[in-house]
Amino acid sequence: GPGNSHLQCAYTELLSLCSDELVSAKTALSLCINQMRNVLSSQQLPENASMETVGRAYHATETFVQGLLFAKSQLRKVAGGSELSSNSERGRDADDSSSDAGSSSVGSQFNDELSEVILQADIWLRRAELLQSLLGSGIAASLNDIADQESSARLRDRLVVDERYSMAVYTCKKCKIDGFPVWNAWGHALIRMERYTQARVKFKQALQLHKGDPAPVILEIINTIEGSPPVDVSAVRSMYEHLARSAPAILDDSLSADSYLNVLYMPSTFPRSERSRRSQESANDNSLHSLDFEDGPRSNLDSIRFLECVNYLQEFARVNVLHLEEHSWWMFEEVVLPNDISKSSLMPIFHLHAEQFLDSFFAFNFLNESIKYACQHLLGFMFRHGHYNDACLLFFPPNAVPPPPQPSSLGIVTSSSSPQRPDPLATDFGTIDDLCDLCIGYGAMSVLEEVLSTRISSAIPQDVGVNQYTTAALARICVYCESHKHFNYLHRFQVIKKDHVAAGLCCIQLFMNSSSQEEAIRHLENSKMHFEDGLSARYKPGDSTKLATMGIRGKSASKNLTEEGLVKFSARVAIQVDVVRSFNDADGPQWKYSLFGNPNDPETFRRRCKIAETLVERNFDLAFQVIYELSLPAVDIYAGVAASLAERKKGGQLTEFFRNIKGTIEDDDWDQVLGAAINVYANKHKERPDRLIDMLTSSHRKVLACVVCGRLKSAFQIASRSGSVADVQYVAHQALHANALPVLDMCKQWLAQYM
């Protein structure tokens, strides 16, 4: 109680009368230790001790601290201001020495007894000061709570749960235990209160103390910021004040549901304050971040919290650089040198040539993997929260080239592997393919397209390096889109890099994939326009098309196609447009009516012939153009059409068809086409198409047609008039099998006359 100070003064005066200062110090130390064990034990100070008990213990610690300080002063006199005393004092003040280290350091200069007394005084004074601070702050803590590191860690965690962060830090310092959990929890608490500047300071301390991989720490911080809106302290305080004003007036009445909500002053869509705060910030902030936040997916991060997350991701990379420095020094310490070379002699060289020393497999692999992980997480984080433009600008900074990635173990050649060619477009944030994957996944390819369009339109010809990087990146994006069959995006980027021929060919592929006639015609018209632009570009010196194809591995379509080839493609596209218009959506998918493909491919040949056969009935002029443009077998196609019309008994269309093809083919081919229709009428319909037979130009064909139709007498008459012995013999043979004896006799008489 209050009398402790008087007892303490009398006690110290009594001990000061002792002539032996060492005995006086040891007596004071022993008395303090015994009393502390009695008064400050867990039995006297449980966790749930009352404030009165805590207060009495606090006053007792004041006495113990004074007694231990008296013992320290006596020990200084004994030591005579020697190195032992100064070393011990520095160790206590700096809090970076241990009992074992102290024993070993002083044993070489003083006797073991004096050294042990000094160390015990340091330890118990540190404990007394810690308990004095804890008890003075109203925290029930005992000697058992700081007896060892495990107990101290439990006390530390209890203080963190109670949000007594300052005392938790002080406890870690005095007990020499890990303070990372305290700084980390303190930072998270500040984030939830939107005190971001203070939180950065706490997390900086935490990361400096963290021994392992900082990735989980950083990601946990980001998850806290991302997880939910921060605590709106002002809204809570306002609600509390309203409750304090309203509750006393209605305490005598029972509360209805409406009255209850009125007292709590709770809005119907809590937390409205968070949304109003965001909208206000968005209205005041005209930056790109704000625009992206409004236009992007539903993100619970406003611009301030988004930038906080970006800061921590960048801090992650910086912390890994510090870890690399520590790692590299550890490597230096582990180096085994010859006996005649000391490490101390090499330390100045290490400091002067640190970069050269760090150029090793382990150090740079450690750095590369850490920074790469942080940067790639930053890229995904930006996409996750709708900052697509910012993410694309990581790969395409205005008027600049992104820095290359940190050297990796992948680039080191070993005996069991061959050298791998580094990706010239890779960055710490990933590859162009990584960027395209995220753009596709989040539907942000249009943003990437806009970034590249702006970059090219504002390009300066003198910036050769920037222009070469942009050209190579565009080529890589096109390769990605083509390999993943994103042809709509491929076409857009080909237009950006002004590769007209490739864009035209891509439009043909888009036509093949079209789901409607309108879409197919649009793509074909675009293709024709691109081919015409490609032809025009061939005659413009220094056109950008040449630049667009530089640096692309493999052969370019622009280089393979000659002017004649472009004209041919353009004409074929025009024909294809007419073909598509001749059909409709009900006829099936558009690819079934494509004239494009490898002419040596059987499937392409079959498809073209089928298209031509269908067009003969719908648009003969177009079918004729298709047949001769693609060098299709006209006779076979016409014969197929004739047989099809005969099978369906389309006499009028068949007549029109023969009128159309008359004069376009040779007589033998004409008879072959007619014969196809005659065979169908004779064999399937069992009819005698006399009109079609009369249209045949060859007597031999007429004989065959009459035999097929069963007109053996007519066949004999035609054969005899033509004077063909072979035809008459053929008719006689058929008459014999048909038992047509009159026709057989006529054939025999004619043959006897001419043979």
Side-chain angles (χ1 to χ4, degrees):
N4 283 343
S5 59
H6 299 292
L7 291 174
Q8 179 259 327
C9 292
Y11 170 69
T12 54
E13 289 177 1
L14 182 61
L15 288 175
S16 63
L17 297 176
C18 184
S19 59
D20 191 334
E21 294 173 339
L22 180 57
V23 174
S24 175
K26 291 173 63 176
T27 302
L29 178 60
S30 176
L31 186 58
C32 288
I33 292 175
N34 292 332
Q35 288 301 312
M36 287 176 67
R37 286 172 175 168
N38 292 331
V39 177
L40 303 179
S41 64
S42 58
Q43 289 79 9
Q44 301 295 329
L45 284 170
E47 289 186 16
N48 58 351
S50 65
M51 292 306 299
E52 182 181 359
T53 303
V54 171
R56 287 198 303 266
Y58 168 71
H59 289 297
T61 56
E62 291 182 329
T63 301
F64 298 142
V65 169
Q66 292 298 324
L68 291 169
L69 287 174
F70 171 79
K72 283 286 294 182
S73 66
Q74 295 297 97
L75 290 173
R76 287 197 194 97
K77 295 178 182 179
V78 174
S82 65
E83 178 118 9
L84 169 63
S85 178
S86 60
N87 282 345
S88 176
E89 187 65 23
R90 283 198 303 269
R92 188 180 74 82
D93 293 340
D95 242 3
D96 59 356
S97 63
S98 65
S99 298
D100 294 338
S103 298
S104 61
S105 63
V106 301
S108 61
Q109 301 181 30
F110 294 92
N111 58 71
D112 293 340
E113 180 183 8
L114 180 58
S115 124
E116 181 65 25
V117 173
I118 292 176
L119 290 175
Q120 288 297 316
D122 284 338
I123 293 172
W124 284 95
L125 179 59
R126 189 164 58 243
R127 292 175 179 176
E129 289 175 339
L130 174 57
L131 289 175
Q132 182 183 24
S133 298
L134 291 170
L135 295 169
S137 300
I139 300 170
S142 66
L143 274 176
N144 300 79
D145 293 325
I146 58 174
D148 51 38
Q149 288 199 338
E150 185 177 353
S151 301
S152 301
R154 286 196 296 268
L155 174 61
R156 174 200 64 195
D157 297 340
R158 176 157 63 93
L159 294 173
V160 169
V161 171
D162 294 338
E163 298 184 351
R164 306 297 297 270
Y165 300 112
S166 296
M167 292 309 304
V169 170
Y170 185 68
T171 300
C172 293
K173 181 179 179 181
K174 286 294 183 180
C175 297
K176 300 178 183 177
I177 59 176
D178 185 14
F180 165 76
V182 182
W183 294 109
N184 189 48
W186 201 348
H188 282 280
L190 289 170
I191 282 179
R192 296 186 185 96
M193 298 176 66
E194 290 190 282
R195 297 180 180 179
Y196 299 121
T197 303
Q198 298 178 36
R200 288 191 187 188
V201 177
K202 310 308 178 188
F203 283 126
K204 183 177 181 180
Q205 293 287 340
L207 289 170
Q208 289 177 352
L209 294 173
H210 190 64
K211 297 296 189 296
D213 182 9
V217 180
I218 299 295
L219 296 183
E220 185 183 4
I221 296 171
I222 293 173
N223 289 336
T224 300
I225 301 176
E226 284 184 296
S228 60
V231 177
D232 196 333
V233 179
S234 60
V236 175
R237 183 177 292 111
S238 174
M239 184 175 66
Y240 174 79
E241 292 173 352
H242 181 82
L243 175 62
R245 290 194 305 268
S246 304
I250 55 176
L251 285 179
D252 295 335
D253 302 328
S254 60
L255 291 181
S256 64
D258 292 339
S259 300
Y260 180 76
L261 291 177
N262 181 61
V263 169
L264 292 182
Y265 190 53
M266 293 185 67
S268 58
T269 55
F270 186 85
R272 183 181 303 163
S273 58
E274 168 66 12
R275 289 203 303 273
S276 63
R277 181 173 60 84
R278 286 191 201 172
S279 60
Q280 181 180 0
E281 288 177 351
S282 299
N284 296 334
D285 187 3
N286 295 322
S287 67
L288 192 59
H289 301 289
S290 177
L291 294 175
D292 283 346
F293 175 76
E294 294 296 333
D295 297 338
R298 291 185 177 271
S299 170
N300 65 332
L301 294 184
D302 52 29
S303 60
I304 296 177
R305 291 158 64 203
F306 174 82
L307 291 176
E308 281 300 309
C309 291
V310 172
N311 168 74
Y312 285 112
L313 286 170
Q314 294 172 342
E315 177 72 9
F316 177 28
R318 189 193 68 80
V319 168
N320 276 287
V321 174
L322 297 178
H323 274 255
L324 171 63
E325 295 175 356
E326 297 176 1
H327 180 72
S328 61
W329 183 254
W330 168 81
M331 290 171 55
F332 178 74
E333 293 292 338
E334 292 296 317
V335 172
V336 179
L337 298 174
N339 295 331
D340 57 341
I341 302 178
S342 65
K343 290 184 180 179
S344 59
S345 64
L346 292 181
M347 285 184 183
I349 301 177
F350 172 81
H351 288 296
L352 289 175
H353 303 280
E355 293 184 359
Q356 291 83 342
F357 183 80
L358 295 180
D359 190 9
S360 63
F361 173 82
F362 295 105
F364 269 110
N365 184 51
F366 178 83
L367 173 65
N368 177 70
E369 295 305 319
S370 300
I371 294 181
K372 180 180 178 182
Y373 182 84
C375 293
Q376 288 187 346
H377 190 85
L378 174 62
L379 182 65
F381 174 83
M382 286 183 167
F383 272 96
R384 191 162 65 251
H385 291 281
H387 289 251
Y388 305 144
N389 194 78
D390 291 343
C392 293
L393 289 178
L394 295 176
F395 289 83
F396 301 100
N399 302 320
V401 175
Q406 296 295 328
S408 171
S409 59
L410 296 178
I412 299 178
V413 182
T414 62
S415 58
S416 60
S417 64
S418 58
Q420 296 188 10
R421 185 176 182 182
D423 184 359
L425 301 178
T427 69
D428 282 331
F429 305 101
T431 63
I432 294 294
D433 285 7
D434 296 332
L435 177 63
C436 291
D437 283 338
L438 288 168
C439 286
I440 291 292
Y442 286 90
M445 286 298 273
S446 59
V447 178
L448 179 59
E449 177 187 351
E450 180 64 26
V451 168
L452 282 168
S453 298
T454 304
R455 184 180 180 88
I456 291 177
S457 62
S458 61
I460 302 175
Q462 291 76 14
D463 292 339
V464 178
V466 174
N467 294 335
Q468 288 180 346
Y469 173 82
T470 305
T471 300
L474 261 174
R476 182 70 60 82
I477 294 172
C478 290
V479 170
Y480 173 91
C481 293
E482 184 174 6
S483 61
H484 290 78
K485 302 187 183 304
H486 299 303
F487 296 109
N488 279 295
Y489 297 131
L490 173 62
H491 172 247
R492 296 176 188 175
F493 288 106
Q494 287 171 337
V495 171
I496 290 176
K497 72 173 187 173
K498 298 183 180 179
D499 193 348
H500 306 295
V501 176
L505 295 174
C506 183
C507 286
I508 292 176
Q509 181 62 55
L510 290 172
F511 148 69
M512 298 279 286
N513 298 342
S514 299
S515 58
S516 66
Q517 183 187 64
E518 180 182 0
E519 181 184 357
I521 292 175
R522 183 175 70 252
H523 289 311
L524 289 170
E525 290 176 345
N526 287 337
S527 176
K528 190 172 185 298
M529 177 190 67
H530 289 312
F531 287 136
E532 291 173 353
D533 291 342
L535 276 173
S536 301
R538 295 291 176 95
Y539 303 104
K540 292 181 181 179
D543 187 76
S544 59
T545 305
K546 296 181 180 179
L547 179 63
T549 58
M550 292 177 60
I552 305 174
R553 297 183 62 186
K555 295 182 179 180
S556 168
S558 302
K559 293 183 177 180
N560 285 343
L561 281 177
T562 61
E563 283 82 355
E564 182 182 357
L566 284 175
V567 172
K568 185 177 180 180
F569 256 113
S570 183
R572 186 164 299 179
V573 170
I575 296 175
Q576 182 69 72
V577 172
D578 294 334
V579 170
V580 171
R581 287 197 172 107
S582 300
F583 297 92
N584 52 56
D585 293 337
D587 293 327
Q590 301 299 318
W591 63 266
K592 287 188 174 181
Y593 308 105
S594 169
L595 302 176
F596 301 101
N598 183 359
N600 298 322
D601 177 32
E603 179 60 28
T604 300
F605 178 77
R606 186 198 63 77
R607 185 179 70 250
R608 288 175 171 180
C609 291
K610 185 177 181 180
I611 293 171
E613 288 183 14
T614 306
L615 286 174
V616 166
E617 298 184 31
R618 301 188 181 191
N619 188 339
F620 179 80
D621 292 338
L622 179 59
F624 182 83
Q625 190 177 6
V626 169
I627 290 171
Y628 287 95
E629 175 71 22
L630 301 177
S631 300
L632 299 177
V635 176
D636 294 339
I637 292 173
Y638 292 157
V641 173
S644 175
L645 291 172
E647 186 175 359
R648 290 175 285 152
K649 290 187 175 182
K650 300 288 186 179
Q653 294 185 29
L654 190 60
T655 301
E656 179 68 20
F657 164 69
F658 283 119
R659 185 182 300 114
N660 287 330
I661 68 172
K662 185 67 175 178
T664 63
I665 54 178
E666 301 291 337
D667 289 344
D668 289 343
D669 297 334
W670 168 267
D671 289 347
Q672 181 179 341
V673 175
L674 278 170
I678 293 171
N679 286 335
V680 172
Y681 275 108
N683 295 326
K684 184 173 182 180
H685 302 308
K686 307 302 179 182
E687 297 180 4
R688 297 170 61 175
D690 297 337
R691 184 176 59 85
L692 295 180
I693 295 175
D694 294 339
M695 294 171 64
L696 292 169
T697 59
S698 168
S699 299
H700 175 68
R701 294 274 186 180
K702 288 182 179 181
V703 170
L704 296 178
C706 288
V707 170
V708 170
C709 295
R711 296 171 53 189
L712 295 178
K713 184 177 180 181
S714 298
F716 168 73
Q717 292 172 348
I718 295 172
S720 61
R721 282 198 300 268
S722 65
S724 174
V725 175
D727 286 344
V728 174
Q729 289 177 334
Y730 174 73
V731 174
H733 180 72
Q734 295 296 324
L736 177 62
H737 284 283
N739 199 24
L741 298 180
V743 177
L744 179 61
D745 291 340
M746 287 188 293
C747 291
K748 289 181 178 180
Q749 292 176 6
W750 190 91
L751 290 172
Q753 181 181 355
Y754 282 89
M755 293 181 65

